[in-house]
Amino acid sequence: MEQSEKTINPMDLIKKIEVALNDSLETISKCVSINELNSLTVMTVGKKSQLIELRSQLKNVEVSARKEIGKVLTDALEKVEETFKLKQSELNLIAEQNYDRNDLTEFWAKLDNTYKVKTGGLHPVTEAQWDLEEIFISMGFSVTDGPEVETDWYNFEALNIPKDHPARGMWDTFYLESGVPETVLMRTHTSPVQIRVMKCYSPPIYTVMPGRCFRRDTPDARHLATFHQIEGLVVDKGITFAHLAGTIEKFTTSYFGPNIHARLRPAYFPFTEPSAEFEITCTVCSGVGCRTCSMTGWIELGGCGMVDPEVFFAVGINPEEWSGFAFGFGIDRLVQMKYSLNDMRDLIENDLRLLRQF
Ligand code: PHE
């Protein structure tokens, strides 16, 4: 038996090696996807490849010819492995490019006189909104969305701001030509979402409501006609002003870091009673006093207060049983402070020199 196996003709084996080599190379070159190539690993460069099988026949060749055939076989194995690796990097690149093509932030930018594919980033306001959502989620709040086009009832009436209320002057409104005049409008704040939440869900409620708001203001260094707010609403049993103050302090230190604090000052809003404005340590001078904060060390960020019983009546929640607080502030203002931007209008100019810095 041993004798007969040893009779393999060296030339035959070399031919077989050549056929196996060409076969493997052809299989590899025909692959069109990285997945297809990977699925052929064992068959082409692994244990089950034709060349590895031929290696086991080496012992059946005349001893004198083994060395030479062994070299042919090793060269063939190396060639297949090399071709496999090359194909792998080529197909990986194609897979990567295909993947990038699905990236909607990708754009062509002219850099150094050639066009290059660049990926865009998040606008600082979007980033701030997402960061705020994360902070509030970690504090146990949910995130709720609401419509940008509102009715007078949600934006004003239900928030205890009837038609003739002098406080309407706080919100210069864009009205839409739809139905009865001055009944459909672009929301002037995110507070109408409070009303929608309280009408839809029963307490306990812990939610934040970010979104775009619109006011008929002339844009200036600290105001935009289209801007972003985030509203917070808590309704539960035994909620007090201390919970409100604690929540605002907690979010301030989480967002800005441990050296920036919040303080409340008495204010007036028709939908909260008592109401307060909240201020945070000036981020420009860290509270020492500078031009930005008019030497006070504090900068106003938003409004807040305990939900007015009139609002609870409007949405059918019993104020004898439940109490709550609400707050709202501008996200654009927050970003302006975080990056010490002189002019808020820079945020909507879409100047790439500014946007690329984020
Ligand atoms: N909606 C108010 C504004 O736009 C802010 C606010 C929200 C005040 C919630 C009190 C409670 O100015």
Side-chain angles (χ1 to χ4, degrees), residues 33-240:
S33 77
I34 187 69
N35 288 345
E36 187 187 355
L37 182 70
N38 286 341
S39 72
L40 295 174
T41 310
V42 188
M43 269 187 59
T44 50
V45 287
K47 278 187 199 146
K48 293 215 169 118
S49 78
Q50 293 180 51
L51 288 171
I52 296 286
E53 245 153 53
L54 289 177
R55 193 163 64 185
S56 64
Q57 291 187 24
L58 206 55
K59 62 178 187 301
N60 302 329
V61 180
E62 289 302 325
V63 179
S64 58
R66 274 187 208 166
K67 198 173 173 195
E68 197 194 324
I69 299 179
K71 170 120 182 39
V72 173
L73 193 61
T74 313
D75 286 351
L77 280 165
E78 269 172 14
K79 175 92 183 132
V80 173
E81 215 156 285
E82 199 180 293
T83 311
F84 185 90
K85 277 196 183 136
L86 210 69
K87 190 74 180 174
Q88 201 171 34
S89 62
E90 180 191 318
L91 292 175
N92 265 333
L93 199 73
I94 291 173
E96 236 169 66
Q97 281 168 352
N98 282 343
Y99 174 75
D100 272 350
R101 215 157 281 146
N102 289 331
D103 182 350
L104 299 181
T105 65
E106 179 186 290
F107 66 98
W108 289 90
K110 199 171 183 200
L111 294 171
D112 307 327
N113 263 343
T114 54
Y115 280 92
K116 294 200 172 127
V117 178
K118 301 283 292 175
T119 43
L122 292 177
H123 190 280
V125 172
T126 309
E127 203 166 59
Q129 181 183 319
W130 290 7
D131 287 348
L132 289 166
E133 287 175 12
E134 286 299 319
I135 290 172
F136 284 111
I137 286 169
S138 77
M139 289 164 75
F141 286 72
S142 65
V143 179
T144 315
D145 219 359
E148 293 177 345
V149 173
E150 271 295 4
T151 62
D152 185 82
W153 191 81
Y154 282 99
N155 196 81
F156 291 124
E157 293 274 338
L159 288 160
N160 195 28
I161 322 170
K163 273 242 145 44
D164 51 358
H165 199 291
R168 283 224 180 185
M170 290 163 80
W171 298 278
D172 275 327
T173 310
F174 285 116
Y175 288 98
L176 300 182
E177 285 180 4
S178 172
V180 179
E182 302 206 348
T183 52
V184 183
L185 48 85
M186 304 302 291
R187 67 175 176 199
T188 59
H189 49 180
T190 40
S191 299
V193 193
Q194 278 186 40
I195 302 297
R196 290 185 177 272
V197 168
M198 287 190 280
K199 270 178 70 95
C200 270
Y201 305 101
S202 8
I205 294 168
Y206 291 80
T207 194
V208 288
M209 298 143 276
R212 276 202 301 184
C213 304
F214 309 83
R215 283 187 204 170
R216 236 178 43 197
D217 280 337
T218 309
D220 62 27
R222 284 166 60 81
H223 298 90
L224 298 174
T226 300
F227 58 100
H228 300 76
Q229 280 193 340
I230 185 162
E231 188 92 5
L233 176 71
V234 167
V235 182
D236 205 339
K237 292 199 165 129
I239 295 294
T240 70

Side-chain angles (χ1 to χ4, degrees), residues 323-342:
S323 61
F325 65 76
F327 58 85
F329 57 89
I331 302 176
D332 316 74
R333 178 70 56 85
L334 197 78
V335 171
Q336 183 177 24
M337 281 182 212
K338 186 166 184 188
Y339 298 110
S340 304
L341 293 177
N342 288 331

